[in-house]
């Protein structure tokens, strides 16, 4: 059969409130053309993020009832710990309320002025937590990773020569090396097993631990199975175990590849680092057997980790985004290729060449997707990255719009609808206008900036 069906049935539903184009135009105006200002029940298809937005399974909800809320030593913690260690066999597993809390704890211990942290590409919260300690975050993704049209199968790989050069010249400044799998900021592109192993070998040769930001580890493992030679006949859990076997620690947001609505963890092998991390955890998150989560959250994560490595699910998951991507390409919409694991990234600058970068083509496209079809997406371009610390503004490298797919939430007809909305946008693209910023905060302006249309 050609159709890869959703490998689940729907048991509980959330109604979508249908809105009209006129109504949405009014809502956009009231939100000052910033999609973060919308109420989510005014959104028909919400592709703002795949984080914390998964639909939980019947088994996860059943496990929620088993949650034990003891302050110390809850059996829910031990079920969580063993589910993590079955896939990622680290000695210490430290729960946190989400991924950035794990990052904050890690970098508050190993960061500081003069320190340098290389990665393929740091996600914004990782970079933010590194920089908050006075340290420097460096992105060393391979050249193909910065070329939206390159079809290289592992565009998330770290450039091993540049990593080695950095370690050769500045090893004493580098406390650890990171790898983000998949590479979210680079379009959800995977890292090959070979690259993970080589990055570990280079790091270890200089005595440096390798940490994996494992948010989308299962999608990454699926890409390894499908694309890397010698991996096709192996199971996803085997590949996952290999990915983490060469690493010395990891940070994780369970809001992605654990099907949970909240949660995360820091895992390490080093006993001393674990002891410091647990001390900080008690200060900022909670006791080490719950770390900012309730027992029921830990149970949901434990079950989610079993479900996420299911091959039927992963085949459907990756296909959903590919399906939208193929149809957008057929419409002539430029996108980042190959399509990543969790999202389709649209090249808004390429689609709307009449809108200059400082009139925010990404924002213009995101606004149009909402006005035309009630779809919420996220600008990843000059609005997000264009404001420099000295207050000046520069075009970002690319003006992208991310359509991030929540897990197990939308069906193929929702995907077809998204494509139809693009059809309408392509037809009317010359009439779309850019925007000007009326007011903005000094940092992270994309969350709260107020815009007006430039006729
Ligand atoms: N690392 C990566 C690669 C991420 O994508 C995220 C979150 C985090 C760390 C932080 O995790 O949100 O649990 O604190 N990404 C979300 C997104 C917000 O929309 O891409 P968190």
């Amino acid at each position: 059969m050609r159709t890869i069906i959703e490998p689940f049935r729907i048991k509980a539903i959330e109604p979508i409130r249908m809105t009209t184009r006129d109504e949405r135009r009014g809502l956009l105006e009231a939100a000052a053309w910033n999609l973060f200002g919308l109420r989510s029940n005014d959104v028909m298809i919400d592709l703002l993020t795949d984080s914390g937005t998964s639909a939980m399974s019947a088994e996860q909800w059943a496990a929620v009832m088993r949650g034990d809320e003891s302050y110390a030593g809850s059996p829910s913690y031990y079920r969580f710990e063993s589910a993590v260690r079955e896939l990622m066999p680290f000695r210490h597993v430290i729960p946190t309320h989400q991924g950035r809390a794990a990052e904050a704890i890690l970098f508050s211990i190993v960061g500081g002025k003069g320190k340098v942290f290389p990665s393929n590409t740091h996600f914004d919260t990782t970079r933010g937590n590194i920089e908050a300690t006075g340290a420097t975050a460096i992105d060393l993704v391979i050249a193909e990773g910065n070329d939206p049209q390159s079809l290289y199968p592992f565009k998330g790989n770290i450039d091993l020569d540049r990593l080695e050069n950095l370690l050769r010249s500045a090893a004493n400044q580098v406390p650890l090396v990171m790898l983000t799998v998949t590479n979210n900021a680079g379009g959800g592109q995977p890292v090959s097993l070979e690259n993970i192993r080589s990055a570990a070998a280079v790091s270890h040769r200089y005595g440096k631990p390798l940490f994996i930001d494992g948010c989308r580890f299962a999608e990454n493992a699926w890409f390894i199975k499908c694309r890397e030679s010698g991996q096709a006949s192996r199971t996803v859990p085997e590949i996952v175990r290999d990915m983490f076997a060469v690493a010395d620690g990891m940070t994780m947001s369970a809001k992605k590849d654990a099907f949970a609505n909240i949660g995360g963890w820091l895992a390490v092998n080093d006993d001393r680092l674990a002891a410091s991390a647990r001390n900080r955890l008690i200060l900022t998150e909670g006791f080490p057997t719950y770390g900012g989560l309730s027992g029921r959250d830990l149970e949901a994560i434990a079950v989610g980790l079993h479900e996420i490595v299911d091959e039927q699910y992963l085949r459907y998951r990756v296909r959903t985004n590919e399906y939208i991507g193929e149809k957008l390409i057929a419409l002539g919409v430029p996108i980042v290729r190959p399509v990543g694991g969790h999202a389709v990234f649209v090249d808004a600058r390429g689609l709307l060449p009449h809108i200059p970068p400082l009139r925010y083509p990404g924002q213009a496209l995101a606004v149009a997707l909402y006005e035309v079809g009630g779809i919420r997406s996220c600008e990843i371009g000059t609005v997000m990255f264009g404001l420099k610390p000295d207050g000046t503004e520069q075009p970002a490298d690319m003006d992208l719009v991310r359509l991030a797919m929540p897990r197990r939430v939308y069906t193929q007809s929702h995907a077809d609808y998204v494509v139809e909305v693009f059809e309408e946008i392509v037809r009317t693209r010359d009439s779309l206008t850019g925007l000007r910023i009326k007011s903005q905060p000094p940092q992270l302006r994309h969350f709260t900036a107020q815009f007006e249309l430039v006729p």
Side-chain angles (χ1 to χ4, degrees), residues 396-409:
D397 292 341
M398 293 190 276
D399 278 295
L400 302 177
V401 168
R402 184 180 77 167
L403 311 170
M405 213 21 97
R407 293 170 182 76
R408 303 192 295 207
V409 170

Side-chain angles (χ1 to χ4, degrees), residues 47 80 257 328 353:
L47 309 182
F80 157 83
D257 274 359
L328 293 186

